[in-house]
Amino acid sequence: MSGLVTAISTGAAAFSATNIDDIVILTLFFSQVNAKLRRWHIVTGQYLGFTALVMASLPGFFGGLMLPKPWIGLFGLVPITIGIKCLLNREDDESQETETQTQQSEGSYISKFLNFQTYSVAAVTFANGTDNISIYVPLFASSTWESLLIILGVFFMLVGFLCYLAYKLTHNTAIASLLTRYGNDFMPFVLMGLGAFIIMDSGSWSLIINH
């Protein structure tokens, strides 16, 4: 029983320490929900991105090696690219909203979940969580099979809770009013700033300059 409690508390502590900053990005995403970006795109994308982080950290459990931090930090280019795309396509997104809604209703069930919006959220989630890998690798490496499964179960349960909390925050009157008025304007800059921070913090800038 003590091992179970330890694994649960360890998983909750590790998740909270490494993913609390996702609440801001998720809240911004939920504030942008429209005919193209649906709530399930955000939730699915968050789970996909987080799953990719876990998969990248599992070599620690099997005794392997992970990529050097500067190379992992190059994923910071992803939110920068998405932010630039948001700026360039802002007007086009509004004009194509009705057309997209019709196309989505005719698409397959799977395509509604696995589309560009879903992958964009997943990419931002992964890029924002690259630092998590340095924490998850030693955590997984020190775990047994039983404790690893418990920790991963806690992780994925808390991902859902994080999405729910971010969604509820958009229904707060003050927050909703602020995001409705300014969300579309500063979302691209938040993404580009996030990408720049990831690149600078991980030391990836030297790789970009040298190439």
Side-chain angles (χ1 to χ4, degrees), residues 15-171:
F15 184 91
S16 301
T18 55
N19 292 278
I20 194 64
D21 54 331
D22 280 0
I23 194 71
V24 177
I25 303 299
L26 281 171
T27 303
L28 282 171
F29 274 127
F30 278 117
S31 72
Q32 308 299 309
V33 168
N34 54 31
K36 293 185 66 176
L37 179 64
R38 301 291 192 172
R39 290 190 295 271
W40 61 71
H41 294 152
I42 300 170
V43 175
T44 305
Q46 181 71 13
Y47 268 103
L48 284 176
F50 186 78
T51 300
L53 287 172
V54 170
M55 296 298 292
S57 305
L58 280 177
F61 179 78
F62 296 105
L65 298 175
M66 64 176 182
L67 288 172
K69 188 175 181 180
W71 285 99
I72 296 176
L74 289 177
F75 282 101
L77 293 172
V78 174
I80 293 177
T81 303
I82 295 175
I84 293 174
K85 184 179 184 300
C86 288
L87 281 177
L88 296 178
N89 295 347
R90 186 179 300 169
E91 295 182 358
D92 292 340
D93 288 343
E94 295 176 356
S95 64
Q96 295 175 359
E97 184 171 320
T98 304
E99 178 182 354
T100 302
Q101 189 172 12
T102 302
Q103 292 174 347
Q104 285 186 345
S105 64
E106 298 174 352
S108 67
Y109 183 79
I110 295 178
S111 67
K112 290 181 179 180
F113 284 85
L114 301 180
N115 56 19
F116 176 77
Q117 284 74 27
T118 299
Y119 292 129
S120 294
V121 175
V124 171
T125 299
F126 185 87
N128 189 41
T130 50
D131 282 348
N132 298 16
I133 297 175
S134 62
I135 296 176
Y136 294 165
V137 167
L139 174 63
F140 293 169
S142 62
S143 301
T144 63
W145 272 108
E146 293 80 5
S147 62
L148 177 65
L149 292 176
I150 294 171
I151 289 171
L152 292 180
V154 171
F155 276 7
F156 284 100
M157 181 183 68
L158 290 177
V159 169
F161 175 75
L162 196 67
C163 291
Y164 175 77
L165 181 59
Y167 174 70
K168 296 300 289 185
L169 281 175
T170 61
H171 288 73

Side-chain angles (χ1 to χ4, degrees), residues 68-74 77 196 198-211:
K69 188 175 181 180
W71 285 99
I72 296 176
L74 289 177
L77 293 172
I198 292 170
I199 291 173
M200 298 299 293
D201 184 61
S202 60
S204 303
W205 186 248
S206 59
L207 294 175
I208 297 175
I209 293 177
N210 293 334
H211 288 78

